[in-house]
């Protein structure tokens, strides 16, 4: 059985799953129960500056019947008294010495304010500190959270104020509300951070109620922007993770990354690990389903690791990263085409509509007796007026550019497969090509000449 334990910048936990700093980690009683269920660690709901929370704090995105595909929150940091939080942190660490207890903190951009909170956290016996430079709502208007994470100089300075007064491992939690995530990461490292975590929530307005015309969540008739999280943000989080894990500066520093943003299943977790995360944080999925999901997360990950022969989390971390490339490093000669398994096809024609209307018009509808439906026919009749029996989609492979739109819209798993076919061209990347023939990037005539030379026909 795979060993799920991790050592994250000196913070040990029996499995890589930590509850993220958020409502699931709001109190000692909650975290105690979460640990009983088997969570490997918890990042305490951010403590620090005095706040007053408002009532009606969450909105959410329901799509295609799936509820809470994303949550939007206008919640601030912990509004419980500081001394109560600190007392409970100490108690939890005493009761659960083998679990990771990390305390998230956020105070004014002032060295003394940071020193004071850090000293209080150290006294609890917690394993580490996470600096919350991420929340995009409420606190950022007061110069904290994302307001720090968005300005690398502030990020470095605040981090330095903390790392210079504590021996505890310091994790800097980055905001995704920034164009280039590597800049604040470098700043955090320059400030002495021992680890990074991402992503915090994305700035958003999720919904307007079409009956009441109220922006959701509506706080006494007024709305505001909030932080967006949950399954819908996973691709954004994975991209930011890979941006960090393919950056020379971050790699050279050797700091581990705690990944989060949309982790709801063990499959999501495995993807974050494969792209370089060492620990994994979960918030929205726990808010939707409760602490019990930890059993599925650990069992699923452990079984998958056994199936693949991975013995430790370190064996998985970053395994898929070598595939990551810039566009300029991709092989221009690679050719895929769509293949349809007629035994699985249910004849919905979604692939046909997608290719015909918005891709490259290379799926024909062919009736069983071989009649090809005129592509100009009225889709709404499903070809019945043209062919005697319901026609089937057939890909003209020579014309298929391999965009994969049809495979993405097809509702039947495994019905359309993208298959690699020989292109007959020599392997070459855009970077190699333009290094050899720079004129190709400057002139359409030179581009056309190259295409004719190697036999690329675009229609
Ligand atoms: C309601 C709510 C409150 C949150 N509060 C905090 C917070 O106090 N401190 C913090 O660092 N992140 C906070 N977050 C962000 C989460 O820790 C996490 O970064 C984010 O939700 C992405 O993970 P997820 O997709 O698993 O929810 C909050 C998120 C939600 C949904
Ligand atoms: S891969 Fe793209 S071009 Fe090829 S059949 Fe599908 S939609 Fe059309
Ligand atoms: S989308 Fe899939 S199921 Fe529907 S017609 Fe095309 S191949 Fe068949």
């Amino acid at each position: 059985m795979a060993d799920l334990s991790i050592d994250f910048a000196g913070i040990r936990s029996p499995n890589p799953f930590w509850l993220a700093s958020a409502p699931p980690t709001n109190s000692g009683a909650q975290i105690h129960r979460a640990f009983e269920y088997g969570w490997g660690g918890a990042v305490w709901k951010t403590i620090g500056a005095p706040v007053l929370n408002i009532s009606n704090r969450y909105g959410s995105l329901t799509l295609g019947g799936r509820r809470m595909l994303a949550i939007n929150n206008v919640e601030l940091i912990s509004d419980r008294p500081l001394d109560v939080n600190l007392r409970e942190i100490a108690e939890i660490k005493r009761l659960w010495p083998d679990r990771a207890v990390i305390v998230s903190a956020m105070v004014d951009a002032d060295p003394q304010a940071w020193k004071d909170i850090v000293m209080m956290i150290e006294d609890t016996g917690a394993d580490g500190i996470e600096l919350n430079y991420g929340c995009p709502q409420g606190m950022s208007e007061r110069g904290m959270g994302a307001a720090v994470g968005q300005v690398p100089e502030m990020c470095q300075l605040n981090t330095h104020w903390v790392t210079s007064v504590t021996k505890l491992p310091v994790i800097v939690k980055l905001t995704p509300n920034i164009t280039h995530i590597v800049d604040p990461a470098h700043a955090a490292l320059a400030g002495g951070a021992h680890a990074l975590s991402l992503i915090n929530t994305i700035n958003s307005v999720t919904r307007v109620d079409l009956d009441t015309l109220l922006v959701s969540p509506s706080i006494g008739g007024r709305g505001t922007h909030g932080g967006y999280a949950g399954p819908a943000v996973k691709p954004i989080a994975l991209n930011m993770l890979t941006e960090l894990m393919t950056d020379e500066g971050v790699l050279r520093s050797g700091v581990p990354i705690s990944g989060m943003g949309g982790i709801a299943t063990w499959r999501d977790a495995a993807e974050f690990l494969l792209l370089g995360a060492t620990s994994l944080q979960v918030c929205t999925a726990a808010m939707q389903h409760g602490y019990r999901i930890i059993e599925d997360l650990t069992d699923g990950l452990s079984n998958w690791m056994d199936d693949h022969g991975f013995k430790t989390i370190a064996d998985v971390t970053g395994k898929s990263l070598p595939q990551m490339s810039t566009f300029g490093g991709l092989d221009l000669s690679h050719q895929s085409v769509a293949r349809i398994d007629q035994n699985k096809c249910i004849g919905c024609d979604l692939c046909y509509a997608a290719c015909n209307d918005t891709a490259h018009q290379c799926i024909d509808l062919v009736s069983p007796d071989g009649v090809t439906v005129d592509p100009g026919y009225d889709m709404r009749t499903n070809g019945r007026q043209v062919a005697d029996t319901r026609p089937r989609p057939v890909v003209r492979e020579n014309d298929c550019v391999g965009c994969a739109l049809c495979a993405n819209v097809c509702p039947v798993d495994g019905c359309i497969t993208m298959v690699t076919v020989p292109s007959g061209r020599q392997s070459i990347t855009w970077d190699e090509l333009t290094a050899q023939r720079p004129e190709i990037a400057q002139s359409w005539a030179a581009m056309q000449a190259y295409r004719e030379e190697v036999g690329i026909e675009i229609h």
Side-chain angles (χ1 to χ4, degrees):
M1 208 168 113
D3 174 7
L4 297 187
S5 68
I6 56 164
D7 181 332
F8 181 89
I11 303 170
R12 290 168 187 280
S13 75
N15 65 58
F17 295 105
W18 300 348
L19 284 165
S21 173
T25 59
N26 203 38
S27 68
Q30 286 171 275
I31 294 180
H32 186 68
R33 266 194 296 119
F35 284 171
E36 282 178 338
Y37 273 93
W39 287 87
V43 185
W44 208 275
K45 170 78 184 169
T46 306
I47 60 170
V51 294
L52 270 180
N53 264 306
I54 42 87
S55 181
N56 204 5
R57 301 174 198 173
Y58 308 143
S60 78
L61 180 73
T62 296
L63 208 60
R66 166 131 194 221
R67 298 189 73 83
M68 266 178 60
L69 193 62
I71 192 170
N72 163 286
N73 86 90
V74 294
E75 180 174 285
L76 304 177
I77 64 174
S78 176
D79 50 11
R80 304 172 78 228
L82 194 53
D83 60 326
V84 174
N85 272 314
L86 292 165
R87 195 175 61 240
E88 291 180 7
I89 293 165
E91 207 171 307
I92 285 292
K93 189 60 226 178
R94 190 177 52 77
L95 288 171
W96 296 93
D98 70 324
R99 306 301 164 92
V101 177
I102 294 125
V103 181
S104 169
M106 180 196 287
V107 289
D108 284 318
D110 167 60
Q112 191 59 45
W114 275 114
K115 186 173 179 191
D116 290 347
I117 194 83
V118 165
M119 292 300 110
M120 289 183 235
I121 294 171
E122 271 199 2
D123 287 347
T124 64
D127 300 299
I129 303 177
E130 187 176 77
L131 308 186
N132 178 352
Y133 298 161
C135 290
Q137 78 284 1
M139 307 308 287
S140 56
E141 284 94 326
R142 286 171 57 179
M144 292 176 256
V148 175
Q150 287 165 333
V151 183
E153 294 75 17
M154 288 296 287
C155 193
Q156 177 172 347
L157 197 59
N158 282 250
T159 308
H160 171 72
W161 289 334
V162 174
T163 54
S164 58
V165 294
T166 183
K167 290 203 166 50
L168 285 178
V170 175
I171 307 167
V172 169
K173 182 169 179 180
L174 300 171
T175 176
N177 300 297
I178 189 159
T179 311
H180 197 211
I181 193 74
V182 164
D183 294 341
H186 283 180
L189 295 175
H194 305 104
L196 300 170
S197 60
L198 85 174
I199 59 174
N200 207 308
T201 52
I202 301 172
N203 225 346
S204 64
V205 171
T206 36
R207 204 168 67 82
V208 181
D209 187 304
L210 293 185
D211 293 324
T212 61
L213 310 192
L214 290 172
V215 170
S216 171
S218 174
I219 299 106
R222 307 204 75 172
T224 183
H225 64 105
Y228 196 59
V233 310
K234 190 182 85 173
I236 296 165
L238 288 178
N239 175 53
M240 291 192 161
L241 175 62
T242 58
E243 280 190 54
L244 294 189
M245 288 306 293
T246 53
D247 174 76
E248 268 182 31
V250 175
L251 288 177
R252 211 177 317 115
S253 76
V255 301
I257 297 184
S258 184
M260 80 198 93
I263 298 177
T265 68
W266 67 263
R267 291 172 187 277
D268 303 323
E271 289 178 67
F272 273 79
L273 293 174
L274 287 166
L275 290 175
T278 296
S279 88
L280 306 160
Q281 297 190 35
V282 179
C283 165
T284 306
M287 289 177 75
Q288 189 176 13
H289 303 292
Y291 297 138
R292 66 200 164 119
I293 60 169
I294 187 61
E295 284 170 26
D296 289 345
L297 290 172
T298 47
D299 285 356
L301 183 65
S302 173
N303 291 338
W304 172 81
M305 284 173 66
D306 288 346
D307 288 349
H308 287 265
F310 294 125
K311 295 202 166 14
T312 65
I313 295 292
D315 291 345
V316 187
T317 291
K319 199 80 181 167
S320 295
L321 276 175
Q323 295 164 49
M324 291 306 296
S325 165
T326 57
F327 181 87
L330 302 176
D331 184 357
L332 295 170
S333 75
H334 173 80
Q335 180 67 54
S336 295
V337 295
R339 288 239 168 104
I340 297 174
D341 181 343
Q342 295 294 345
N343 292 323
K344 291 187 175 164
C345 176
I346 57 170
C348 68
D349 291 353
L350 280 172
C351 59
Y352 175 79
C355 188
N356 210 32
D357 291 353
T358 65
H360 292 263
Q361 300 79 48
C362 55
I363 297 183
D364 292 328
L365 286 183
V366 183
S367 72
D369 53 3
V371 177
T372 298
V373 174
D374 176 357
Y377 90 105
D378 182 349
M379 262 293 297
R380 289 164 293 189
T381 66
N382 247 339
R384 281 191 204 91
Q385 287 167 351
V386 190
D388 291 347
T389 43
R390 195 184 180 88
R392 292 278 154 174
V394 177
V395 178
R396 290 194 314 280
E397 291 191 4
N398 282 345
D399 294 333
C400 172
V401 301
C403 71
L405 177 63
C406 55
N408 282 291
V409 301
C410 178
V412 183
D413 276 347
C415 180
I416 303 185
T417 325
M418 299 309 298
V419 186
T420 301
V421 293
S423 67
R425 300 195 298 276
Q426 251 193 341
S427 168
I428 191 159
T429 67
W430 176 255
D431 287 348
E432 289 164 348
L433 179 61
T434 50
Q436 287 166 23
R437 300 166 72 156
E439 69 281 7
I440 281 179
Q442 309 297 330
S443 136
W444 268 109
M447 173 63 84
Q448 187 54 29
Y450 171 72
R451 286 179 179 179
E452 280 167 18
E453 211 177 282
V454 296
I456 299 173
E457 210 182 302
I458 310 255
H459 40 88

